[in-house]
Amino acid sequence: MSHTPPESDPGATSGAANAARSSSAARTGSAAGQHLGAPPHSSRAERRDERQHTSLKRTLGIPTLVVFGLAYLVPMTVFTTYGIVNETTNGYLAAAYVITLIAVLFTALSYATMSREVASAGSAYAYARAGFGSRIGFLTGWAVLMDYVLLPMLNYLLIGVYLHEQFPAVPGWVFAMAGLVLVTALNIVGISAVKGANVVIVALQVVFFVVFFFFAARSFDPSVSLLDPFFRGDFALGPVVAGSAVLCLSFLGFDAISTMAEEAKDPQRTVPRAIILTTVLAGVFFVMVAWVCYMVFPQVITGDGADSAALTMLAHVGGNLLTALFLAAYVTGAMGSALASQASVSRILFSMGRDGVIPKRVFGFLSRRFRTPVGAILVVAVISVSAAFADVDFVASIVSFGALTAFTVVNLAVIMVFLVRRSPGRGAPSLLRHGLFPAIGFGFTVWLWTSLTGITLLVGLAWIAIGLLYLLWFTRGFRRPVPSMEID
């Protein structure tokens, strides 16, 4: 985040290209060594000059962008909410994924549309700012910031849940805290040493799914109809929609492709297509995995066992071999995700602290030895300690609240930019692409958003209210410039 004067054009996106490049570096585990190595007091002109001399070449085509998007989505996230959504929907996980895919697909169309309009930026914040100005953009970025802060905690929590299930003699919080300490240490000393971890993580996931489908093909329950995962006599739309709202967590990151606009060839063509392709491929894959899971294991585990129900299902399908492979792939992936997300959010907090938006003495300094934002990293670690006591369902729902808020605003931003502000081009194709489609996406996301639990809505709305109060205080009742949040 940087504190800059408000632009006369609410669609201005100064500094977003650098944020996109820095964010993508953070997500692959290298932000601490690249972005944060710059002197914290360098002038804006110096940083701009440095960016001009370090711009990446436009070499990424659609296939490469799609692979990036799928890798960022983390295919094994389908097992993160397997048990809790199965319990919520009474076994209709596949049907819930279909509803979520439809909702997210219309939203992906809105992201694709805005990526053509704001080609150098790539986030719900940038698109909200283009549609509604700096104030709504700030609050949207504030909601996204909640996701960034909680994602490391969710990863530590899941590591504890699954390893405790496999090694019940050791409390889950011990595994969670061990993961937290390791990831925090790596972030402090610099994570360039593990920049190849993503390759190992993706490879392990590919191996796991190949083995999983091999075992599953031999384990189908003959008493289960092919359509049972989608519709049976006890089908109830309400619980399925409630489960769909939580499953938005599985699609977090499809929009990350837009952060690669600066490195993409012909970004106004390739980036939108890659966003849509990634969403469709990921959604179809999630539906397929959920369908296979029901065909081999139609039982619904409830209560305390729901959090680790995926392990029970996998043990039924492939025994100890498949469970061990799953644990290796899943825990490694969770560690990698925690590493990237903690690095990313610490960079955001450091930028905010450096510019005086939040306390500079805590957040706005770098380690003299490691050139990493130690204060920001440790604050995120302290927040993540609550993973020892938190609940998977609750944290996943809060993360989904932030995602749904961003999705809703982006859909409305398309309507605002193309139909409200612009008088020309209101023919039938424009009304369809810029009016009906985002309106459907908006309707779906609001429907999913209001299907979250009351406590989730209360916490999420309270967070946004805190952001609004903070914005009022920081701008002295909007008499000072609205801070510009560079979040992607």
Side-chain angles (χ1 to χ4, degrees):
M1 177 187 289
S2 60
H3 186 193
T4 57
E7 298 85 345
S8 58
D9 177 7
T13 56
S14 62
N18 181 52
R21 183 167 64 254
S22 298
S23 176
S24 64
R27 285 167 177 151
T28 56
S30 58
Q34 295 178 20
H35 179 76
L36 300 181
H41 301 296
S42 59
S43 69
R44 182 176 298 275
E46 289 171 340
R47 292 197 298 270
R48 183 167 56 249
D49 183 67
E50 180 182 352
R51 290 197 297 267
Q52 290 173 351
H53 289 86
T54 57
S55 297
L56 299 177
K57 296 181 180 179
R58 295 190 179 275
T59 59
L60 304 181
I62 292 177
T64 308
L65 290 170
V66 170
V67 170
F68 168 82
L70 292 175
Y72 189 85
L73 279 167
V74 187
M76 289 194 71
T77 191
V78 67
F79 296 110
T80 298
T81 51
Y82 167 83
I84 58 177
V85 176
N86 249 333
E87 181 181 27
T88 301
T89 63
N90 193 29
Y92 287 101
L93 178 63
Y97 263 118
V98 171
I99 293 175
T100 308
L101 172 59
I102 294 172
V104 173
L105 185 57
F106 280 102
T107 299
L109 288 170
S110 292
Y111 271 89
T113 300
M114 291 303 295
S115 71
R116 295 187 184 97
E117 179 70 10
V118 190
S120 61
S123 69
Y125 159 72
Y127 301 156
R129 188 178 175 88
F132 299 100
S134 57
R135 296 173 187 175
I136 298 299
F138 178 90
L139 292 177
T140 302
W142 184 264
V144 173
L145 184 61
M146 177 175 63
D147 287 356
Y148 274 93
V149 171
L150 292 183
L151 277 173
M153 182 199 303
L154 182 60
N155 282 294
Y156 300 133
L157 180 60
L158 290 167
I159 289 171
V161 166
Y162 282 109
L163 288 180
H164 171 67
E165 184 69 16
Q166 189 70 8
F167 307 101
V170 183
W173 66 265
V174 173
F175 292 115
M177 293 304 100
L180 186 154
V181 170
L182 176 59
V183 168
T184 300
L186 286 172
N187 269 294
I188 289 175
V189 302
I191 53 178
S192 59
V194 291
K195 61 184 178 182
N198 279 344
V199 177
V200 177
I201 291 169
V202 172
L204 274 174
Q205 291 182 69
V206 170
V207 171
F208 166 76
F209 278 113
V210 170
V211 176
F212 169 69
F213 287 130
F214 172 77
F215 278 108
R218 307 185 305 171
S219 307
F220 275 32
D221 189 331
S223 66
V224 178
S225 167
L226 297 179
L227 294 179
D228 281 354
F230 303 103
F231 185 80
R232 304 184 298 276
D234 60 349
F235 180 88
L237 184 60
V240 174
V241 172
S244 298
V246 176
L247 289 178
C248 285
L249 175 69
S250 300
F251 289 88
L252 282 179
F254 76 87
D255 57 315
I257 293 171
S258 59
T259 69
M260 306 299 289
E262 187 176 344
E263 291 97 325
K265 295 182 290 187
D266 190 9
Q268 291 185 316
R269 181 184 66 88
T270 58
V271 170
R273 294 184 182 183
I275 288 174
I276 301 301
L277 277 173
T278 299
T279 306
V280 172
L281 290 174
V284 170
F285 178 78
F286 291 148
V287 171
M288 179 180 68
V289 173
W291 179 82
V292 169
C293 288
Y294 188 88
M295 296 301 297
V296 299
F297 191 77
Q299 294 89 338
V300 176
I301 299 175
T302 60
D304 294 338
D307 286 348
S308 57
L311 273 180
T312 306
M313 180 271 297
L314 293 169
H316 171 80
V317 174
N320 292 334
L321 173 62
L322 189 60
T323 330
L325 183 59
F326 167 77
L327 281 172
Y330 191 90
V331 171
T332 303
M335 290 288 287
S337 178
L339 187 65
S341 56
Q342 188 170 1
S344 183
V345 72
S346 63
R347 183 194 74 81
I348 293 167
L349 294 174
F350 164 73
S351 181
M352 294 167 66
R354 180 184 57 191
D355 294 329
V357 179
I358 55 180
K360 188 172 184 177
R361 294 182 62 182
V362 177
F363 298 97
F365 71 93
L366 299 176
S367 163
R368 291 181 179 273
R369 179 177 178 183
F370 301 113
R371 306 296 295 171
T372 53
V374 175
I377 291 171
L378 291 178
V379 168
V380 176
V382 169
I383 294 173
S384 297
V385 167
S386 57
F389 317 100
D391 176 73
V392 173
D393 194 0
F394 175 72
V395 177
S397 296
I398 294 297
V399 173
S400 290
F401 175 95
L404 287 172
T405 302
F407 291 173
T408 301
V409 174
V410 171
N411 280 308
L412 292 177
V414 173
I415 298 174
M416 177 63 69
V417 169
F418 291 94
L419 295 186
V420 176
R421 291 212 181 112
R422 297 182 183 175
S423 54
R426 292 192 180 184
S430 178
L431 290 174
L432 186 68
R433 185 166 59 253
H434 303 139
L436 180 60
F437 288 169
I440 294 174
F442 171 78
F444 268 118
T445 50
V446 169
W447 187 25
L448 295 175
W449 189 66
T450 55
S451 297
L452 294 172
T453 63
I455 186 64
T456 299
L457 294 173
L458 182 62
V459 172
L461 291 174
W463 174 256
I464 293 177
I466 292 171
L468 178 59
L469 291 174
Y470 178 78
L471 184 61
L472 286 169
W473 171 82
F474 188 84
T475 61
R476 302 298 187 265
F478 298 121
R479 291 191 297 271
R480 291 174 51 181
V482 176
S484 176
M485 300 176 65
E486 295 183 352
I487 297 178
D488 292 286

